[in-house]
Amino acid sequence: MKIPLKKLLFFSGLILLALVVVFLVVQALLHLSDLAEGMRGIIGALRSILLGCVMAYLLYPLTRFSEQFLLYHNVKPRAARTLSTTFSTLVLLALLVLFGYFIIPQLVFNVPPLIQSLPDMINEFSQRLSDYLTSHGQSAQIITTISEKISSSFNQWLQADPLSALVDIVGRVASVAKSLLNFIIGIIVMFYLLMSRDQFIGQGKKILFAVCKKRSTCDVILRHLRVINRIFSGFVSGKLLDSLIIGIICGICLSLLNMPYAMLISVIVGITNIIPVFGPFFGAIPSAFLLLLTDPGKCLIFIIFIIILQQVDGNIIGPKILGDSTGLSAFWVLFALLLFNHLMGFWGMLLGVPLFASFYYLLRELISSRLRRKNLPLATKDYVNIAGIDDNGTISYLPPPVIQFRSLFRGEDSLWAAICRRVRGIKADPTKEPGSPKEDKPDDPSDPPPPCDL
């Protein structure tokens, strides 16, 4: 049998392509470390691009609002686009300048003296605790031993080799300079993305419509992408605004309460509040420990204040800002935090909730579409008492479980009457059901006496 030349060339090309793919896979497995190093290098090179995309995504709502405002006042479209993008960039720079002006000096002035005085604070606190235990007849040897070990380790860290400390400082300065350069490039990338966002959106949709065969598939994908975008933008921007408000409220209240290190603690509480559920604990525990070493009374006041502040945030401020942006219950929020913290670390705790909310939405839509094809109900509550569904689609329900309760003291079938009968050795009538009305019958001298009075 003669094989056509066209088919022979086609199968030969497939075999050659398969061999190339196998060769590349084997080379990747043999040089896995080099491949990982190369990927890290590519990610490091594109870090500024990624940072610019993140900043553009966060500033997009403000840019869109300001552009619509300018268009409403008859500003030309190109001028409105340029002015709105410039305004958003200036807002970002202003926030960074305010952060540097108010926060960085406080950190510079508070953190080094705090590090220097931390051994003395630990010794003083341990001495107070030892005196308290000694005055109550308890041994304080373990407290003294732990305090001495912590102080000696900390002093050794402070008095390390000057040359290694200098090398470490130089490395940190170089890292800061590199991060600053990436940030400047990221701002430039953000500006170009905001200016040309319509073009990038159009290119993405053009590729989608070119790849998909059916237009309905494109419509479904775009609809799902809009919902996922709403989940991410609502959660991230809302959480940042909520954390900013909590940090400001915490700073004002701690200053009024004359708390030491008020600004430093407010920064810690505001930043860690970005993390859902666990964030308040991450910020409150080290702050409370710092106040405990400084003034135990202020530490107790701080703990009470943080509890009140978190209740206000969880019940008033947070719901007003975030609303139901994720659509997840408290259990799934906790599940998402634990899962993505294990998979992605710190960034998983920040972005785990919207990521899981997006997956949860897609899975819910898939299940709902399959239920619609089978003409089955969509509400979850309709499936609580379902016993089964036959081949014709008829649903059978189980009766809701009912627990039979008996009266405690009143009536012939009460628990008190049963106890009295048990005491007198009289068995209950097995034919009489609990709760049935008492039958009227004439008095008989042979009847048992009335229930006993124990």
Side-chain angles (χ1 to χ4, degrees):
M1 179 179 178
K2 187 177 179 180
I3 301 176
L5 179 62
K6 186 176 181 180
K7 186 176 291 188
L8 181 62
L9 292 176
F10 175 75
F11 285 110
S12 301
L14 284 181
I15 295 173
L16 182 61
L17 180 62
L19 291 175
V20 171
V21 171
V22 171
F23 175 77
L24 292 177
V25 171
V26 170
Q27 289 294 322
L29 292 176
L30 292 177
H31 302 84
L32 195 59
S33 59
D34 297 337
L35 182 62
E37 189 66 27
M39 290 298 297
R40 280 195 292 268
I42 294 174
I43 293 174
L46 298 178
R47 188 172 298 171
S48 56
I49 304 293
L50 180 61
L51 180 61
C53 294
V54 172
M55 291 190 294
Y57 184 78
L58 294 176
L59 289 178
Y60 172 72
L62 178 62
T63 307
R64 183 183 178 187
F65 174 80
S66 56
E67 182 180 0
Q68 294 295 327
F69 178 81
L70 293 174
L71 291 175
Y72 178 77
H73 289 82
N74 299 323
V75 179
K76 293 183 179 180
R78 184 164 184 81
R81 175 65 57 87
T82 305
L83 291 175
S84 61
T85 306
T86 306
F87 173 71
S88 300
T89 307
L90 291 177
V91 168
L92 175 63
L93 295 176
L95 290 176
L96 294 175
V97 169
L98 290 175
F99 179 83
Y101 180 78
F102 287 105
I103 306 302
I104 293 180
Q106 295 291 331
L107 299 178
V108 172
F109 294 147
N110 288 329
V111 173
L114 176 61
I115 294 176
Q116 295 290 337
S117 60
L118 192 58
D120 297 332
M121 295 168 62
I122 294 175
N123 290 331
E124 183 182 354
F125 177 75
S126 63
Q127 185 63 40
R128 269 190 265 168
L129 185 58
S130 300
D131 295 340
Y132 176 80
L133 293 175
T134 305
S135 62
H136 287 75
Q138 301 292 329
S139 176
Q141 182 64 31
I142 186 172
I143 302 297
T144 306
T145 305
I146 293 174
S147 168
E148 291 176 354
K149 288 184 178 180
I150 293 175
S151 299
S152 61
S153 301
F154 199 79
N155 288 326
Q156 289 177 4
W157 177 73
L158 290 176
Q159 299 173 1
D161 184 15
L163 182 60
S164 62
L166 180 62
V167 172
D168 182 64
I169 291 174
V170 172
R172 291 181 183 273
V173 170
S175 177
V176 170
K178 186 177 180 180
S179 300
L180 182 61
L181 179 62
N182 287 332
F183 180 75
I184 294 174
I185 298 175
I187 290 180
I188 298 174
V189 171
M190 178 201 71
F191 191 87
Y192 281 120
L193 287 176
L194 291 177
M195 284 291 296
S196 306
R197 61 181 185 270
D198 292 339
Q199 181 180 358
F200 288 112
I201 293 174
Q203 289 175 349
K205 292 182 178 179
K206 183 167 66 173
I207 294 173
L208 178 64
F209 279 93
V211 171
C212 297
K213 294 183 179 180
K214 296 182 180 179
R215 182 177 176 180
S216 59
T217 306
C218 299
D219 296 338
V220 171
I221 293 174
L222 291 176
R223 178 168 58 85
H224 291 333
L225 288 177
R226 292 188 193 100
V227 175
I228 293 174
N229 173 60
R230 187 166 65 246
I231 291 173
F232 266 89
S233 61
F235 179 82
V236 174
S237 59
K239 201 61 183 175
L240 290 175
L241 180 59
D242 175 59
S243 300
L244 177 63
I245 294 173
I246 291 299
I248 294 174
I249 294 175
C250 183
I252 295 173
C253 294
L254 293 184
S255 300
L256 294 177
L257 293 172
N258 295 321
M259 290 283 182
Y261 308 108
M263 187 61 67
L264 177 62
I265 293 175
S266 302
V267 172
I268 294 174
V269 170
I271 293 176
T272 55
N273 194 72
I274 299 175
I275 302 174
V277 182
F278 298 113
F281 300 101
F282 292 158
I285 290 175
S287 304
F289 178 73
L290 177 62
L291 292 176
L292 179 63
L293 298 177
T294 307
D295 189 347
K298 293 291 182 65
C299 176
L300 180 61
I301 296 174
F302 172 75
I303 291 175
I304 296 174
F305 165 73
I306 284 295
I307 292 175
I308 297 173
L309 180 63
Q310 293 304 324
Q311 292 299 317
V312 172
D313 180 33
N315 296 294
I316 299 176
I317 300 177
K320 290 292 183 182
I321 296 176
L322 294 174
D324 192 17
S325 58
T326 60
L328 296 177
S329 62
F331 170 79
W332 290 118
V333 170
L334 182 61
F335 178 84
L337 287 174
L338 295 176
L339 176 63
F340 283 92
N341 177 46
H342 176 72
L343 297 177
M344 302 170 57
F346 175 74
W347 293 106
M349 296 196 74
L350 288 179
L351 302 176
V353 174
L355 283 173
F356 187 82
S358 302
F359 171 76
Y360 186 87
Y361 161 75
L362 294 175
L363 182 62
R364 184 179 60 195
E365 289 295 313
L366 175 63
I367 294 174
S368 298
S369 64
R370 294 183 68 88
L371 290 176
R372 288 192 194 96
R373 294 174 189 171
K374 298 179 180 181
N375 295 322
L376 295 176
L378 301 180
T380 304
K381 62 181 181 180
D382 296 334
Y383 291 86
V384 174
N385 295 319
I386 282 183
I389 303 175
D390 58 14
D391 296 335
N392 297 326
T394 305
I395 303 175
S396 58
Y397 292 92
L398 287 173
V402 178
I403 301 176
Q404 295 290 339
F405 291 97
R406 299 172 65 180
S407 177
L408 293 178
F409 299 103
R410 295 183 178 180
E412 189 177 313
D413 299 319
S414 64
L415 292 177
W416 177 251
I419 293 172
C420 291
R421 285 194 297 268
R422 180 69 64 181
V423 170
R424 294 198 303 266
I426 300 173
K427 296 182 179 180
D429 186 4
T431 61
K432 188 176 181 62
E433 296 182 358
S436 59
K438 184 179 179 180
E439 297 179 359
D440 295 332
K441 58 181 180 179
D443 294 336
D444 190 346
S446 62
D447 286 344
C452 61
D453 188 10
L454 298 178

